Amino acid sequence: MQQGLFSDADIPGGLQAARVLVDGLNDMVLDYGIPAGMEGVTRGSRVEVPLRNRSTTGTVLQVSTPEFGGRLKPLLRLIHDEPVVSPALMDLAEWAARYYAVPVEQMIRCIVPEPVRRERHEEKVRKVIVLQQWPDDDTLNKLNKRAPRQAGILRYLHASETKREPLADLGGSSALTPCRALEKAGYVRIEEEQVHRDPAAGESFAPSAPLTLNAEQENALKAVLTACTTHSPKPLVMQGVTGSGKTEVYLQAAQHVLDEGKGVLILVPEISLTPQTMARFKSRFAALEGAVAILHSAMSDGERFDEWHAIHRGRARIAIGPRSAVFAPVQNLGLIIVDEEHDSSYKQENSPRYHGRDLAVLRAKMEGATVVLGSATPSLETMYNVQTGKYDCVRLDHRADGQRLPLTRVLDMRSEPKDKRNLGILSERLRVAIDDRLREGQQVILLLNRRGFARALQCPDCGYTADCPDCAVPMTFHATENRLICHICGHREVVPKRCPECHSAGILLEGYGTQKVEMVLRRCFPQARLQRVDADVTARKNALRDILEDFRAHRTDILLGTQMISKGLDFPGVTLVGVLNADLGLSVPDPRAAERTFQLLTQVAGRAGRGELDGEVIIQTYNPQADAIQFARRHDTDGFAEAELALRQQMQFPPYCHMAVLTVRAEQEELAQLSVGTLYRHLQQALPPQVLMSEPLPAPIAKAYGKFRYQITFRSPSARVVADICARVIAEQHFGEEIAVSLDIDAYSFL
Ligand code: ADP
Ligand code: ZN
Ligand code: ZN
């Protein structure tokens, strides 16, 4: 799609041309002349360019001698004197674009965040869209057909807890037109809101001094620092049991790298779930005013703009953030730390579907930096890379505080008497254990998986289930709103009194949510101070932080929560962790189901006994012999990896291959089916025999957001072969707008 633009405004011969990737046009590349006075233009510069009769912005891919004898339109303006995207990040963008089969522009978009590309630094107010009125089903259906973007915005607002969302989160300036239309129709109101720009406003961090490292930590620190002085070091895996003091090693390694005058990038799983890790970095470097920049998804445009520029200018030399921070413009990068490298939040689940850890490894290689992958339960991909010698590994096998790992018991729920009062939620053993801890004045964490326990509506007479009309999955009952809610699209419905199919009045809510468990627990332990943590409770800003502070200060006794509470928390008063249903997710159609369960159980078990008292973990399960449960019970990461890797090799699953998923979506089922069939036939011709391809099948979630979904799954020794060939075959079909095709390379979700 390259073309030169001729212009009447001649550029004197001998001058150079810039090849520019124009913003927002899916890889349209145009050549422009570099006029006198703009010699600073180089690869990675952001520039303003003429396009038809307006001006727009873009990123310079390359500077060269013009092919068209200097008859190119000139660039209008160089936006910053320094290139905005460093050569290394340009390389990363181009590599990732090819690997994940997306336009380069999409990767550049990740590197240069929206507020920076728009360059709106003066902006102190932002537009917020507020839901005014929710249309009836009929109107909504019509809107869906006529103006899907508008319908999507309404749904998004409707699903939002506050019913108001910043325009930036609805798609930025391109969402303004549909929002205006919605405003005219009376469905939304557009408001302006003041922007606060300091993401850590109102929080203070007391400086913390480095701890004296124990022998294992010394050894780990030495391994990191040795890598830092090596030319093109191997990635270093820091496999340390929960509580072994990995974070302290990260902190001291970061300090050394800073002292050398280099920058540090720290990736953490979702920040809202790991506030303690973030706070520990802020505290340790509190003396270095402004040295630590925090990047996270809940930041306003202004904050993002300020933090980004602080890093880009080199004022902030440590950047901390979730997966998207892998693109932070840290200057003179010396060290990248990926904390909890196995965490699934590193994988982006919409386009571009990159993996933050994998790009961190690549970026470190490109910039000659050291990358440290830390975890108590490294992913099997990473364990495999250690086995084959691609990565180095340093281990911490003991807790830093000298505590033993907690004793873990597995409790077979099949042999529990079905006690009506406890509704099968709480075994007698766990009930007694909780009771004991409470009497001793100790604290308890109880974990419940939402997926395993969501309450759906089911008719015991005819088997009817209340499914979302758009997504064909069961809706979940929410007591606070007294509504059934679809967890995919946010669709809400009133709970019927009688079965809509057979009119039976015996229609039941099946399964349990956190709210139901909370009720049972309150009945069993009326004296306990209990706090529930789930997405409903934590929707309010800072709610999670407040809840965790209360628990830390022992103003609550029992914390009951979903996976959220399994991550990165460190509570000395907790002596008992109960897992209410460990079988969660073992039956999900996903090659990593066992790995995820093992990681979750091991992580959550690491939450017990972090103080002076010994900890105990009780795992309730209907499947006590499962590897994921037995190895987690013994905290045996190596044992699990060995057993599971053997199985993966036998099945030809990752890490022994790359898995990719191609998904076709269309409103009409036949269209989706037809299109996926066409792609399948062409791919059969085009793919080499080493690539295993599934038949086209309806996705496990067969319909979502009103669209039918069909999938093809690939297993291949090379991800690139699948990416390149699929991209070509998809492009050749010239599908219309009614068919959406997406490709997920190294897929982690198969729903
Ligand atoms: P991990 O990150 O491996 O889970 P943490 O860094 O959270 O482990 O450490 C667990 C606990 O041990 C923390 O309370 C931490 O302050 C403490 N700790 C870490 N290193 C030391 C040390 N060298 N001496 C004493 N306590 C330590
Ligand atoms: Zn019925
Ligand atoms: Zn839905």
Side-chain angles (χ1 to χ4, degrees), residues 697-716:
L697 291 169
I701 295 173
K703 194 183 174 199
Y705 295 100
K707 292 196 167 152
F708 288 91
R709 298 149 45 96
Y710 278 79
Q711 288 183 342
I712 301 174
T713 308
F714 306 89
R715 281 179 285 161
S716 167

Side-chain angles (χ1 to χ4, degrees), residues 468 470-471 473 486 488-491 705:
C468 171
D470 288 332
C471 305
V473 295
C486 168
I488 296 180
C489 74
H491 175 84
Y705 295 100

Side-chain angles (χ1 to χ4, degrees), residues 60-216:
V60 176
L61 291 178
Q62 187 189 319
V63 172
S64 62
T65 312
E67 293 165 26
F68 295 102
R71 297 261 300 160
L72 300 171
K73 274 195 183 179
L75 295 173
L76 297 178
R77 188 166 71 97
L78 173 59
I79 296 180
H80 294 272
D81 291 339
E82 295 282 299
V84 167
V85 187
S86 67
L89 282 175
M90 288 298 290
D91 289 346
L92 186 70
E94 286 176 0
W95 187 94
R98 174 142 186 230
Y99 187 86
Y100 293 109
V102 296
V104 181
E105 218 265 320
Q106 274 198 18
M107 297 312 306
I108 299 272
R109 202 171 261 284
C110 299
I111 294 175
V112 187
E114 198 59 34
V116 175
R117 13 170 89 203
R118 275 188 282 116
E119 227 208 343
R120 290 262 202 83
H121 44 290
E122 288 88 12
E123 187 173 272
K124 293 243 167 28
V125 290
R126 63 171 178 179
K127 290 201 163 57
V128 176
I129 314 301
V130 187
L131 185 69
Q132 288 289 89
Q133 192 201 328
W134 179 240
D136 58 55
D137 288 354
D138 208 36
T139 317
L140 190 64
N141 280 337
K142 281 196 195 120
L143 195 62
N144 225 345
K145 298 234 164 53
R146 189 173 53 78
R149 184 92 196 262
Q150 291 183 33
I153 290 171
L154 275 183
R155 282 228 175 78
Y156 189 87
L157 287 171
H158 190 57
S160 132
E161 204 68 29
T162 52
K163 309 288 178 223
R164 49 183 295 141
E165 292 293 333
L167 183 66
D169 292 354
L170 295 169
S173 50
S174 75
L176 193 56
T177 311
C179 285
R180 290 239 161 88
L182 286 168
E183 185 177 46
K184 225 167 147 200
Y187 293 122
V188 307
R189 198 172 63 237
I190 303 177
E191 289 180 354
E192 304 233 306
E193 189 180 85
Q194 286 295 317
V195 172
H196 306 281
R197 306 180 60 135
D198 181 3
E203 291 178 59
S204 67
F205 298 93
S208 74
L211 301 172
T212 310
L213 299 184
N214 62 36
E216 280 189 337

Side-chain angles (χ1 to χ4, degrees), residues 229-252:
T229 55
T230 308
H231 182 67
S232 61
K234 283 187 195 175
L236 178 67
V237 178
M238 198 182 293
Q239 185 184 340
V241 296
T242 46
S244 58
K246 296 184 290 298
T247 311
E248 184 62 32
V249 179
Y250 303 155
L251 288 165
Q252 299 198 14

Side-chain angles (χ1 to χ4, degrees), residues 467-481:
D467 294 347
C468 171
D470 288 332
C471 305
V473 295
M475 290 184 287
T476 304
F477 176 68
H478 284 240
T480 36
E481 283 188 45

